[in-house]
Amino acid sequence: MTENINVISAEKLTKRFGSFIATNEITFDVKKGEIFGFLGANGAGKTTAMRMLTGLLTPTSGKATVAGFDVYKEAEKIKKNIGYMSQKFSLYEDLTIKENITFYGGIYGLTNAEIKEASERLLNKLKLQSSGAALLSSLPLGWKQKLAFSVAVMHKPKVVFLDEPTGGVDPITRRQFWDMIYEEAYNGVTVFVTTHYMDEAEYCDRVSIMVAGKIEALDAPKELKRIYNSDSMNDVFIKLAR
Amino acid sequence: MKKFLGFIIKEFISIFRDKRTMVVLFGMPIAQLIIFGFAIRNELNDATIAFFDQSNDYMTEQIKQKLVSSNYFKLGANLQSNGMIEEAFKGGKIKEVIIFEPNFAQKLLKDGGAKIQIITDASDPNMAQTLLSYTSAIIKDYQTSLNKQSDLAPIIQSEVKMIYNPEIRSTYMFVPGLIALILLLVCALMTSIAITKEKEIGTMEVLLVSPLKPIEIIIGKVIPYLLLSFFNVITILILARVVFNVPFVGSYILFFFIALIFIMTALSLGILISSVAQTQQAAMMMSLAGLLLPTIILSGFIFPISNMPLLLQWFSNIIPAKWFLIIAKGIMLKGVGFDHIWKETLILCGMFLFFILISIKKFKVRL
């Protein structure tokens, strides 16, 4: 449910590491409830851009706000209003499923009642009611990723950042994962997602493609295919990234 | 505060659930105390010796009696010829052979002197040295008692007294050293591994994106280890007391206070290592090679610092455990108060501040 309110806006956002420019004056807006695909080859600057938006890195220059807060001055407020799930695994293998939920609920400041409520809702949705006391390490990867996503949006953030969330997951689970993303977006959560799977790029409302630190294209997948005269996002990506 | 508490609880769950961590945390201190306490001893009990007595008179008999009844020696063999001496050493059991010349008593009384030859197996030099000094002491003692009986001219006697550790028991020395070692192991090694583990599996990134402040993450990571290392100190002290009868004359409060400062120094080292190391293995190697080894060798734990070359003596000053050892021995064995150890305490505090400042600078808050 995309609404016409900017939840993320970046203007000429730049990050240099010495003489290397990781992201070069990137400018874009993400609307509320939008699923925004952030594509690019390895090393194109996606991770750097995402780190600046989540408050892990300070930009060298340019402006950016996330959920209405400035990335320079209000990083702490941004952190309270976003969810994050990384390409590396985000939950603790040596904790049980319930302990993981309690832990993340706790660090995002949820009350015990809220955690209890959220954990029941979450386990029900994932059909894991009976496995709450099982160690996370006993779950298959796809389930872990779905759980990690549910945990990342448990505190009802305004934006959720997903850094290659479906890496190594089978196509069926990926499809289910995207159903979950759609559901959150429908409820008004803005989704900022990086991926290498071009079929997933087709699921996004809008897609930006980064090449060598710059955003080379930004539009709805349908438009991009039309502009670049391609049948699939895969073709678009290859044409741009080469 | 609740966020923070949840973080600490999670840390404890992780520790208690990992068997290897538990073994290192609780098995290691006890195992090390037992090993150091029983196996590695400088003092000797029941060293096997042999006599080659060519005189067999009442005096040599008395000396032999005195040696064997001293607890330090036990009789391994009575040799009959010079040729048997080397055989006895080669057998490996006999560490010392004592040879009395023929007509021992007669010569001593008539000529005013008789000879005893002591041969020790110096393939273990420390042992040989100790054996020799014990033997000479006992023989000297016998001589003194002879002099008393006959009214010979008084001889100047020096009486040696070893204070604080009268029996020169090495366990007394090992316990403070062991505490230092365990604290370093638990605080520096385990903490650095725990922090790099989060980096390695990627959860650190998630934590840094969360509303938890970096300082809360660090403190949350170290607090469980701080508490557990206190538990270790107490266990070692109790074991030392009950199993090895190591005395504790000083103030417990002062001791725990100093231990706390040393623990914080070790923790700051652990944080420093984790801010440099990217993987658990790297953290482990750095802690082992950079901390544990120098601590064992250069802190005065096993080798006396005063016997080291000057360069190493200087170098030993930057090893926190050296200062902790001086303080711990002072409090445990001599019962000294704060007025005697404030300098060393100040040095430890300085080290803590130094390390924690560097690690705060190094810990990349924003990855």
Side-chain angles (χ1 to χ4, degrees):
Chain A
M1 289 288 268
T2 311
E3 293 171 49
N4 202 12
I5 307 164
N6 283 343
V7 174
I8 303 174
S9 81
E11 203 188 322
K12 296 191 170 176
L13 196 62
T14 302
K15 179 71 191 180
R16 289 168 197 272
F17 295 103
S19 61
F20 173 69
I21 305 173
T23 60
N24 193 355
E25 301 199 340
I26 56 172
T27 300
F28 63 91
D29 294 316
V30 183
K31 308 270 180 236
K32 184 170 190 287
E34 189 175 21
I35 300 175
F36 189 82
F38 205 59
L39 313 189
N42 291 328
K46 284 175 300 176
T47 309
T48 307
M50 191 130 141
R51 285 187 169 170
M52 287 192 281
L53 295 175
T54 51
L56 282 178
L57 269 179
T58 314
T60 312
S61 65
K63 282 189 231 161
T65 60
V66 174
F69 300 109
D70 186 86
V71 291
Y72 292 96
K73 292 176 224 143
E74 298 169 305
E76 293 309 312
K77 282 183 185 156
I78 290 177
K79 287 178 178 180
K80 285 198 181 97
N81 285 288
I82 61 173
Y84 178 79
M85 179 188 163
S86 81
Q87 58 186 1
K88 280 208 225 164
F89 195 57
S90 327
L91 302 175
Y92 290 94
E93 297 267 334
D94 54 354
L95 298 188
T96 67
I97 294 169
K98 268 206 167 133
E99 283 163 352
N100 266 300
I101 297 172
T102 311
F103 172 66
Y104 279 104
I107 62 174
Y108 277 95
L110 266 55
T111 64
N112 288 342
E114 281 171 331
I115 291 174
K116 196 164 178 282
E117 192 267 330
S119 108
E120 268 166 31
R121 174 166 46 84
L122 207 149
L123 291 176
N124 268 332
K125 204 162 83 183
L126 294 172
K127 301 195 172 53
L128 285 172
Q129 298 97 318
S130 53
S131 338
L135 283 181
L136 188 83
S137 50
S138 65
L139 279 187
L141 179 68
W143 286 96
K144 286 180 193 166
Q145 298 297 75
K146 285 196 273 183
L147 182 66
F149 176 74
S150 310
V151 168
V153 295
M154 184 169 75
H155 59 288
K156 302 197 169 73
K158 294 203 173 80
V159 191
V160 60
F161 289 87
L162 308 173
D163 191 359
E164 291 173 26
T166 53
V169 174
D170 67 78
I172 298 166
T173 316
R174 253 167 58 201
R175 182 66 242 188
Q176 294 169 341
F177 193 91
W178 274 86
D179 285 340
M180 294 173 70
I181 293 181
Y182 272 118
E183 196 184 325
E184 291 302 325
Y186 183 82
N187 292 331
V189 177
T190 306
V191 180
F192 186 99
V193 56
T194 71
T195 181
H196 281 308
Y197 296 109
M198 288 306 136
D199 59 326
E200 291 188 349
E202 312 256 3
Y203 301 151
C204 299
D205 294 325
R206 278 194 307 151
V207 165
S208 82
I209 299 179
M210 269 188 96
V211 180
K214 288 190 167 178
I215 293 184
E216 288 293 333
L218 200 173
D219 217 321
K222 214 167 79 185
E223 285 300 299
L224 286 175
K225 281 189 279 190
R226 191 181 59 77
I227 296 167
Y228 291 92
N229 197 18
S230 306
D231 304 334
S232 66
M233 280 305 292
N234 209 21
D235 279 349
V236 175
F237 186 79
I238 289 167
K239 275 182 183 161
L240 273 167
R242 202 158 39 195
Chain B
M1 194 58 208
K2 191 180 158 283
K3 286 190 283 184
F4 185 55
L5 222 63
F7 190 72
I8 293 177
I9 292 171
K10 172 233 128 196
E11 204 56 37
F12 269 115
I13 296 178
S14 286
I15 292 172
F16 288 126
R17 213 163 265 166
D18 185 27
K19 286 197 189 86
R20 273 186 305 174
T21 309
M22 288 301 280
V23 168
V24 174
L25 277 179
F26 298 105
M28 199 99 115
I30 295 170
Q32 291 205 333
L33 188 70
I34 305 282
I35 291 170
F36 279 117
F38 282 120
I40 306 175
R41 289 187 160 183
N42 290 335
E43 79 267 21
L44 45 103
N45 286 320
D46 291 340
T48 313
I49 57 170
F51 297 114
F52 176 32
D53 191 348
Q54 305 171 65
S55 176
N56 277 321
D57 52 40
Y58 75 100
M59 266 189 185
T60 62
E61 211 51 58
Q62 278 173 347
I63 295 176
K64 285 192 279 187
Q65 198 56 45
K66 209 170 157 73
L67 283 166
V68 174
S69 62
S70 70
N71 258 339
Y72 300 124
F73 304 106
K74 75 168 184 243
L75 182 60
N78 272 310
L79 308 178
Q80 304 304 330
S81 73
N82 252 326
M84 289 171 76
I85 296 174
E86 199 166 351
E87 280 309 305
F89 278 122
K90 278 187 177 157
K93 259 192 174 165
I94 307 250
K95 301 293 176 201
E96 186 180 68
V97 173
I98 297 164
I99 306 163
F100 300 93
E101 67 172 332
N103 305 322
F104 188 88
Q106 212 179 343
K107 277 190 182 164
L108 189 63
L109 294 175
K110 277 196 180 153
D111 310 346
K115 282 186 186 134
I116 297 176
Q117 189 183 16
I118 303 169
I119 305 174
T120 55
D121 176 1
S123 59
D124 181 348
N126 285 334
M127 173 91 156
Q129 201 68 50
T130 322
L131 279 172
L132 193 63
S133 60
Y134 281 36
T135 316
S136 341
I138 292 170
I139 294 172
K140 216 176 203 166
D141 203 43
Y142 177 72
Q143 195 182 353
T144 320
S145 68
L146 274 186
N147 288 346
K148 265 183 203 151
Q149 288 164 16
S150 55
D151 302 315
L152 287 174
I155 302 167
I156 297 173
Q157 294 174 17
S158 60
E159 190 177 308
V160 180
K161 192 176 168 194
M162 301 282 198
I163 54 173
Y164 304 131
N165 184 1
E167 297 161 60
I168 326 182
R169 290 186 44 184
S170 43
T171 354
Y172 289 16
M173 297 296 123
F174 281 134
V175 168
L178 203 61
I179 292 178
L181 199 66
I182 298 291
L183 289 182
L184 216 60
L185 196 77
V186 172
C187 298
L189 179 74
M190 302 298 279
T191 313
S192 62
I193 288 180
I195 297 178
T196 42
K197 188 178 168 192
E198 298 237 15
K199 275 198 206 173
E200 225 178 281
I201 57 175
T203 42
M204 186 55 96
E205 211 167 302
V206 183
L207 291 178
L208 288 172
V209 176
S210 82
L212 277 177
K213 293 192 182 68
I215 188 81
E216 288 178 316
I217 297 174
I218 293 186
I219 296 176
K221 288 298 281 187
V222 303
I223 278 190
Y225 293 99
L226 193 145
L227 295 177
L228 290 173
S229 50
F230 254 103
F231 178 81
N232 276 327
V233 173
I234 295 169
T235 320
I236 296 175
L237 284 180
I238 293 175
L239 271 180
R241 190 78 211 236
V242 174
V243 183
F244 297 106
N245 279 320
V246 177
F248 194 108
V249 268
S251 150
Y252 280 101
I253 295 171
L254 186 60
F255 186 82
F256 284 125
F257 170 68
I258 302 293
L260 179 69
I261 295 176
F262 184 66
I263 287 172
M264 293 203 303
T265 313
L267 285 175
S268 62
L269 279 168
I271 297 169
L272 185 62
I273 288 173
S274 63
S275 68
V276 183
Q278 288 301 325
T279 62
Q280 294 181 66
Q281 263 118 336
M284 195 148 89
M285 288 313 293
M286 283 186 210
S287 314
L288 289 177
L291 289 181
L292 286 178
L293 213 58
T295 296
I296 294 174
I297 296 173
L298 294 174
S299 67
F301 172 27
I302 294 179
F303 309 110
I305 293 173
S306 52
N307 289 357
M308 292 174 193
L310 211 56
L311 198 71
L312 285 184
Q313 289 194 27
W314 285 335
F315 188 72
S316 73
N317 287 331
I318 64 164
I319 296 185
K322 173 192 172 173
W323 305 103
F324 176 73
L325 271 184
I326 295 174
I327 301 172
K329 281 180 189 168
I331 298 175
M332 288 178 67
L333 304 178
K334 299 183 204 166
V336 297
F338 190 66
D339 49 330
H340 282 95
I341 52 166
W342 64 271
K343 263 190 248 161
E344 287 83 2
T345 312
L346 215 61
I347 293 174
L348 274 183
C349 288
M351 285 178 164
F352 164 67
L353 281 178
F354 178 72
F355 292 133
I356 200 75
L357 281 179
I358 309 185
S359 26
I360 287 174
K361 251 189 139 169
K362 279 243 159 190
F363 190 85
K364 289 192 186 106
V365 172
R366 299 174 162 232
L367 276 174

